Every structure is written in C-alpha cells, then in structure tokens.
Amino acid sequence: MAAYCLAYAAALFYDAPLFRYYPLHNLLNWGPGTVQGHGPAMAWYGLMADAALAALAAALIVPNRWMDRVFRNFIGIFPVAAMAVCVVLMWKFFA
C-alpha cells in the first residue's frame, strides 16, 4: 500500500501516466505525451496503472517482515499523505 500511494503521487506530480485514453475517438495513447486534436484525455487510468506496477514491483522485492517491522505503526500515514499531495496538485482545478 505504501508503494502504491507513493507511486501514484509521484506519477501525478510528474504528469506521467502509463497511457491516456481519448473517449471521443476511442484512442489509447501509450506514454506521457498527449495527442493534439483528439479532445480531452483521461489520464486517471494510466496513473492507476503506473501505481499498480510500482506496487507490484515493490511487493515482489521488499520482504513483508521488513515492512511490518519498519512501518507497523505508521502505515496509515501513506494514504493520508498521498491524498494531501493530490489535493495540493489538483487545487488549481477547484479554485
């Protein structure tokens, strides 16, 4: 969960989703670039895929006993911090 939260916040900060979906043309564009002239893109699915791949890699590399020992009492901080980062990054859309 910690790797997922950190990866999602980083992907949102750097605006680097794995792919973008253009629903008007049913187009899937791989990579962080945008396609001009195809309308608004949905990047959220790509951000979720980035975070899922990072969490999968972390789950395969980092042993559970190490995570339990180090972050046992602080695991709830990661989702709250990721939400705070997302609110700060998205503030311009709501202000």
Side-chain angles (χ1 to χ4, degrees), residues 18-95:
L18 187 61
F19 58 85
R20 293 180 195 265
Y21 175 64
Y22 294 87
L24 293 176
H25 296 279
N26 199 21
L27 175 70
L28 195 64
N29 181 34
W30 293 93
T34 60
V35 177
Q36 297 298 326
H38 286 321
M42 296 171 59
W44 184 70
Y45 297 115
L47 294 171
M48 298 286 285
D50 270 346
L53 289 175
L56 177 66
L60 294 174
I61 294 171
V62 179
N64 281 338
R65 64 182 180 277
W66 186 80
M67 288 297 291
D68 288 341
R69 185 176 55 227
V70 174
F71 295 118
R72 178 181 311 146
N73 296 327
F74 304 107
I75 198 68
I77 292 174
F78 291 102
V80 172
M83 284 187 285
V85 168
C86 292
V87 166
V88 168
L89 292 174
M90 295 293 187
W91 189 259
K92 62 184 174 187
F93 296 112
F94 300 108

